Amino acid sequence: MPSPSSCFFTILVLLSFFFLAFAGDPFVSYDWTLSYKTASPLGVKQKVIAINGKFPGPTLNVTTNWNVVVNVKNDLDEPLLLTWDGVQHRKNSWQDGVSGTNCPIPAGWNWTYEFQVKDQIGSFFYFPSLNFQRAAGGYGGIIINNRAVIPVPFGLPDGDITILLSDWYTKSHKDLRKDVENGVDLGIPDGVLINGLGSYRYDDTLVPSGISYQIINVEPGKTYRVRVHNVGISTSLNFRIQNHNLLLVETEGSYTVQQNYTNMDIHVGQSYSFLVTMDQNASTDYYIVASPRFVNSSWARATGVAILHYSNSQGPASGPLPSLSDQDDPYFSMNQARSIRWNVSAGAARPNPQGSFRYSDITVTDVYVILNRPPELIKGKWRTTLNGISYLPPSTPLKLAEQFKILGVYKLDFPNKLMNRPPKVDTSLINGTYRGFMEIIFQNNDTTVQTYHMDGYAFFVVGMDFGVWTENSRSTYNKWDSVARCTTQVFPGAWTAVLVSLDNAGMWNLRTENLNSWYLGQELYVQVDNPEIDNTEDSMPQNAIYCGLLSSLQKEQSHKFQYSTGSPFYNNSIIILFMLFIALESLFGMCSAEL
């Protein structure tokens, strides 16, 4: 029999093992059902995509390094994937939720996403990535908070507000995608939604009666962090709050040099967060406005208006909306974008300052000048291209083809500039150099603003200008405090240059966020493989769905997952917990008998 002292010591050791086993980063889990819901955001009944009956969907509110488990049930009538715009999925492109990495979740099935928000902070959003579904909703905000031990570079706000902006059509997403396939322009949106609601009736001739609108309630004298996302289809929007300054503090995971703006252009797919102080006398409510940019007066009805309501407000908002006066031109917008700077003295997800990474001192290994063009007919179908190639999604996702070494699914031959040849439809990828440093220049030959996004990374937006990029354009680059973000705008007849460090192994989507251009082929993938055999990438999840050439591997799927069966942490933790429980129970029994 063990002595009482040895019993006590052994119990302490086992309890120490228990706490060590469960001292890792926490897990948070969600069950989401995506289904159609009848709504009338603009006064016309239509089907929207709701999550657990809500439109827009819930905000995913987590903290740096947490493990996120989202069980997604597809109750739509077509396949579905959710992508997490801006979440980098370190070493884990299996969870990215785009056609090149995942088989779609069939109607009636579910799939459990599991990812870690590793070394990230900031404001992002999620949305359905297939079949033009984002035009019907299914989107929501993502907040990644700092760990408590890492201070933020501003005072703690009194509240946190998420605002989702979207150009909106009363046509269904299925009809819209048919129009796009047939070369029909999307035309003027029927309105702009703010958090899934229509416009306040600021003008009786432009806004019909009976429209529900967003009211944001605030307290006088308090400061709120306002996170604003353009989750729309193709319209650049200007965001402003009547009589209030927008103190920009963060964009897509990077703290910025703090500057006051009276308004901010937010292009498709972009996210910003501002500190807004309620410093007005509240003689009335105040307008919150999201209006289309670089358009003519016929777009006036496509203006979203919400209400900022002080608790001591003395009356409703009235009168004209705050105007942009002489600011309604691309030159103003470009200069505004150039004014956004990285706060190089602030920590973010880690305690070291952001500016400790000196991107200007790193040798560029690959240069890609990527030129887009408006839709054109290729073999009788309307397509859009990047460097003359319109991306064709294969039936077998690229990541699965790479995993199973299936030849012929894709080619690593995406050209680094426009080739002198007719445009074509192909599955052509960039072969990225692991730990290389890539320079990408987006040249916009279209007539509208395009925004480009890269999954898995934040890139440095080092330069933009009107005209054609040349080698001499590098002399204008900002080589010190360019902001790092995942989505950048490219103005018509202009270029934008970014630098990206390819330190995240995986298969990563590079695309335009403008849904009509993306749907017709303006995307590609960057394959980033570590040539050494190590643990650079996470293994394929055990709950992977198989399709295309691998369809025969798919077994009947259970329709309920609380956790992904591909979670070694979760499975091992359960086993360890069970074994420790048995050991402690046995030891307590022996010690009790001795005493």
Side-chain angles (χ1 to χ4, degrees):
M1 285 286 186
S3 67
S5 60
S6 65
C7 274
F8 180 71
F9 177 76
T10 307
I11 288 171
L12 279 180
V13 170
L14 284 172
L15 286 173
S16 297
F17 275 117
F18 176 85
F19 288 118
L20 284 172
F22 291 91
D25 298 312
F27 271 71
V28 59
S29 62
Y30 301 87
D31 277 302
W32 287 358
T33 298
L34 275 79
S35 60
Y36 294 118
K37 173 184 178 179
T38 300
S40 306
L42 296 177
V44 178
K45 283 188 177 182
Q46 62 183 125
K47 285 184 178 180
V48 302
I49 297 176
I51 299 178
N52 293 348
K54 295 180 179 180
F55 168 69
T59 297
L60 197 66
N61 194 336
V62 295
T63 297
T64 301
N65 292 345
W66 281 15
N67 296 281
V68 182
V69 180
V70 186
N71 183 58
V72 174
K73 174 70 183 301
N74 179 12
D75 270 358
L76 305 180
D77 57 358
E78 56 187 7
L80 166 75
L81 283 174
L82 283 184
T83 191
W84 318 89
D85 214 62
V87 176
Q88 292 180 14
H89 300 294
R90 302 296 300 180
K91 307 188 303 179
N92 194 12
S93 58
W94 294 107
Q95 306 294 323
D96 200 24
V98 287
S99 66
T101 58
N102 299 84
C103 291
I105 307 167
W109 284 43
N110 72 332
W111 198 70
T112 304
Y113 291 89
E114 185 176 319
F115 54 88
Q116 186 179 30
V117 288
K118 180 70 173 171
D119 290 336
Q120 283 192 268
I121 57 93
S123 310
F124 311 98
F125 64 95
Y126 61 85
F127 65 90
S129 64
L130 301 179
N131 298 321
F132 227 78
Q133 289 163 353
R134 192 173 81 205
Y139 48 69
I142 299 174
I143 297 172
I144 305 179
N145 302 290
N146 282 66
R147 292 179 292 156
V149 295
I150 308 297
V152 296
F154 46 81
L156 186 67
D158 297 296
D160 204 298
I161 299 167
T162 292
I163 295 180
L164 302 166
L165 310 176
S166 177
D167 54 353
W168 194 258
Y169 296 80
T170 54
K171 271 189 178 182
S172 73
H173 71 281
K174 296 178 182 179
D175 287 338
L176 287 172
R177 75 188 183 211
K178 285 179 183 176
D179 285 347
V180 170
E181 289 169 356
N182 293 328
V184 178
D185 188 78
L186 289 172
I188 302 172
D190 296 303
V192 169
L193 304 190
I194 299 180
N195 288 346
L197 298 173
S199 179
Y200 173 76
R201 200 177 191 194
Y202 68 96
D203 185 320
D204 292 353
T205 63
L206 294 174
V207 183
S209 61
I211 301 293
S212 297
Y213 56 88
Q214 177 75 61
I215 301 174
I216 294 177
N217 296 303
V218 295
E219 294 295 326
K222 292 191 175 182
T223 297
Y224 296 82
R225 185 170 182 176
V226 181
R227 304 173 193 260
V228 189
H229 313 271
N230 185 337
V231 298
I233 301 176
S234 64
T235 306
S236 294
L237 297 170
N238 180 272
F239 177 80
R240 53 203 186 273
I241 302 177
Q242 185 181 27
N243 292 2
H244 290 73
N245 282 323
L246 308 173
L247 181 64
L248 179 65
V249 294
E250 176 260 334
T251 179
E252 296 164 19
S254 290
Y255 290 125
T256 63
V257 172
Q258 294 175 22
Q259 301 180 73
N260 273 311
Y261 296 87
T262 56
N263 63 80
M264 178 62 70
D265 284 346
I266 305 179
H267 304 279
V268 179
Q270 291 188 327
S271 301
Y272 291 92
S273 65
F274 309 96
L275 294 183
V276 182
T277 299
M278 305 306 150
D279 54 5
Q280 300 299 298
N281 60 19
S283 57
T284 65
D285 292 340
Y286 299 93
Y287 293 125
I288 300 172
V289 183
S291 58
R293 288 294 261 153
F294 324 125
V295 294
N296 58 41
S297 59
S298 64
W299 284 61
R301 64 184 171 87
T303 297
V305 181
I307 293 298
L308 184 73
H309 174 75
Y310 281 55
S311 60
N312 62 341
S313 175
Q314 299 174 35
S318 61
L321 301 180
S323 72
L324 295 175
S325 61
D326 60 345
Q327 301 174 6
D328 195 16
D329 67 80
Y331 289 92
F332 170 84
S333 188
M334 180 177 286
N335 287 331
Q336 183 186 72
R338 288 167 170 164
S339 73
I340 299 170
R341 294 287 193 261
W342 206 25
N343 185 344
V344 297
S345 63
R350 294 181 294 274
N352 56 301
Q354 300 182 90
S356 61
F357 182 84
R358 302 281 187 254
Y359 60 87
S360 60
D361 295 336
I362 299 177
T363 301
V364 170
T365 55
D366 299 284
V367 179
Y368 283 83
V369 180
I370 298 180
L371 182 142
N372 74 311
R373 288 199 295 238
E376 56 191 308
L377 283 170
I378 303 177
K379 294 186 177 179
K381 293 186 177 180
W382 287 100
R383 305 291 300 183
T384 55
T385 60
L386 297 174
N387 283 0
I389 297 177
S390 185
Y391 179 78
L392 178 67
S395 61
T396 307
L398 309 171
K399 191 65 184 166
L400 277 175
E402 179 192 39
Q403 174 75 20
F404 286 87
K405 297 180 172 55
I406 301 174
L407 300 178
V409 173
Y410 61 87
K411 294 173 285 187
L412 294 169
D413 64 351
F414 188 84
N416 62 4
K417 61 183 179 180
L418 180 67
M419 308 298 287
N420 185 20
R421 63 189 184 193
K424 65 177 181 177
V425 177
D426 206 352
T427 309
S428 179
L429 279 63
I430 289 177
N431 186 11
T433 304
Y434 182 65
R435 297 200 181 281
F437 200 51
M438 184 180 289
E439 179 183 14
I440 304 173
I441 299 95
F442 298 105
Q443 182 78 52
N444 185 2
N445 276 22
D446 207 335
T447 57
T448 59
V449 178
Q450 299 288 317
T451 53
Y452 288 92
H453 171 92
M454 188 171 186
D455 286 349
Y457 292 95
F459 43 59
F460 298 96
V461 185
V462 293
M464 61 178 66
D465 204 351
F466 291 100
V468 177
W469 182 88
T470 67
E471 300 280 343
N472 293 331
S473 301
R474 292 194 179 101
S475 64
T476 68
Y477 285 4
N478 175 359
K479 296 184 177 180
W480 165 242
D481 59 355
S482 292
V483 70
R485 62 188 309 170
C486 58
T487 309
T488 186
Q489 68 271 52
V490 191
F491 293 92
W495 57 267
T496 296
V498 304
L499 297 174
V500 56
S501 177
L502 299 180
D503 62 350
N504 190 13
M507 186 75 70
W508 302 110
N509 188 232
L510 177 63
R511 62 177 179 267
T512 177
E513 288 279 44
N514 300 60
L515 200 54
N516 48 343
S517 300
W518 181 10
Y519 185 72
L520 292 181
Q522 276 187 7
E523 67 172 317
L524 58 97
Y525 285 80
V526 181
Q527 184 187 62
V528 183
D529 283 341
N530 186 349
E532 300 176 3
I533 299 175
D534 61 4
N535 295 322
T536 300
E537 283 194 75
D538 288 355
S539 57
M540 184 179 73
Q542 294 179 25
N543 67 337
I545 298 175
Y546 296 96
C547 56
L549 298 174
L550 297 170
S551 296
S552 61
L553 299 180
Q554 183 61 49
K555 299 176 182 177
E556 182 65 26
Q557 187 189 44
S558 167
H559 287 259
K560 179 68 175 177
F561 288 97
Q562 288 297 331
Y563 286 88
S564 165
T565 56
S567 169
F569 177 87
Y570 179 72
N571 291 334
N572 292 341
S573 297
I574 294 299
I575 295 168
I576 292 169
L577 176 62
F578 179 75
M579 293 174 66
L580 283 172
F581 177 79
I582 296 297
L584 282 169
E585 184 181 44
S586 175
L587 190 60
F588 272 121
M590 289 190 293
C591 291
S592 297
E594 176 65 21
L595 294 172

